[in-house]
Amino acid sequence: MMQSKNEMKLSFDARSVNEGFARVAVAAFITELNPTLDEVADVKTAVSEAVTNAIIHGYDDPCEKVELVCRIEGNQVEIAVTDTGKGIPDVAKAMEPFYTTKPELERSGMGFAFIEAFMDEVQVTSEVDRGTRVWMRKRIGAQEG
Amino acid sequence: MEQYCEREGNCLRVRVPKELDHHEAGRLKLEADMMIDAYHVKTLIFDFGETEFMDSSGIGVLIGRSKKMGYYGGEVYAQNLNGRVQKIFRVSGLHALIQTDMPKGE
C-alpha cells in the first residue's frame, strides 16, 4: 500500500499563458501516484478551470498572483487554487451550470460543472473583495477499484 | 496567413490546436470569425486531430461559432475527436449541438 506524502506550492501571475503551466506542473507532480492517462486529464482539466476562473474573474490586473497548492496524501490528490481578488457574491449561483458573468467573452459557464465532474470533491469559498479559494480532491487509482 | 484555418470554397476547416484553453481560445475565435465573415462560410469543420486537451473555454468557442453559423444557416461539424475530447463533448452536452464522428448510442 502506497503511503506517499508530498506537497508543493506555486505562485504565478494572473496571465492566461500560466493556465497551461499550472496544469502541466500539477500533472508532473502527481506522476508518483501512477495515475491513468484519464485521471491525469481529469485533474488537468479541473486545474485549468480553477486557474482560468481566478485569472478571468478574480483579477483585472495580470500582475496579481494566483496561488496553487497541491498535496499528495496516500492515493489522494488535493489541490487548492486561491486568488485574493474580487470574490464571488453568490457561490451557489456561480456553480450553476451555464451561469456566467462574462457572456461577452463567450464563457460557457461550465467551469465549476467540469471540476465537479472530474474531481471527487469540490469546495468553493469566497468573500467579496477578499478573494476565492477552490479546493478539490480526487482519489487516484479509483478506476481500478 | 491563417494559423488555424483552411478554406475551400465556402467550407472552412479549423485545425484545433494541441491544447484549447482560454489562452488559445481568443486567437482562434478571432481568426475563425474573420474567415466566416469574409468568405460567407456555409460549412464549418472543427478538426480535433491534433487536440489532446480542451477545457470549458473550448466549449465556449464551439458554442459561439455554432450560434454564428446558425445565423447564417450554415452547418457545423467536429471531426477526429480522441477519447478525451469525446469525454469533454459528452460531459458538456456539446455532442447534442454539433455533429460529430463520435460513436453513437453513448
Side-chain angles (χ1 to χ4, degrees), chain B residues 8-35:
Chain B
E8 209 171 296
N10 53 15
C11 174
L12 188 71
R13 178 175 291 270
V14 178
R15 288 184 316 275
V16 181
K18 197 171 161 205
E19 309 220 314
L20 179 54
D21 61 2
H22 158 244
H23 180 64
E24 200 75 30
R27 281 177 291 175
L28 191 151
K29 279 195 288 202
L30 269 177
E31 189 183 304
D33 284 354
M34 193 261 296
M35 297 290 284

Side-chain angles (χ1 to χ4, degrees), chain A residues 16 19 23 42 48-49, chain B residues 19 22-23 29 55-56 84:
Chain A
S16 64
E19 293 154 7
R23 64 179 179 259
D42 285 352
S48 197
E49 300 298 348
Chain B
E19 309 220 314
H22 158 244
H23 180 64
K29 279 195 288 202
D55 64 15
S56 74
R84 185 64 200 175

Side-chain angles (χ1 to χ4, degrees), chain B residues 19-85:
Chain B
E19 309 220 314
L20 179 54
D21 61 2
H22 158 244
H23 180 64
E24 200 75 30
R27 281 177 291 175
L28 191 151
K29 279 195 288 202
L30 269 177
E31 189 183 304
D33 284 354
M34 193 261 296
M35 297 290 284
I36 291 167
D37 292 336
Y39 296 103
H40 308 290
V41 170
K42 288 283 173 216
T43 308
L44 177 63
I45 300 167
F46 287 100
D47 186 339
F48 284 89
E50 304 283 311
T51 309
E52 293 168 10
F53 178 88
M54 179 167 90
D55 64 15
S56 74
S57 300
I59 305 295
V61 172
L62 270 74
I63 291 175
R65 306 291 82 59
S66 293
K67 279 188 189 160
K68 191 178 177 75
M69 291 298 293
Y71 299 140
Y72 293 163
E75 291 188 311
V76 185
Y77 301 90
Q79 294 178 350
N80 302 318
L81 287 67
N82 73 7
R84 185 64 200 175
V85 176

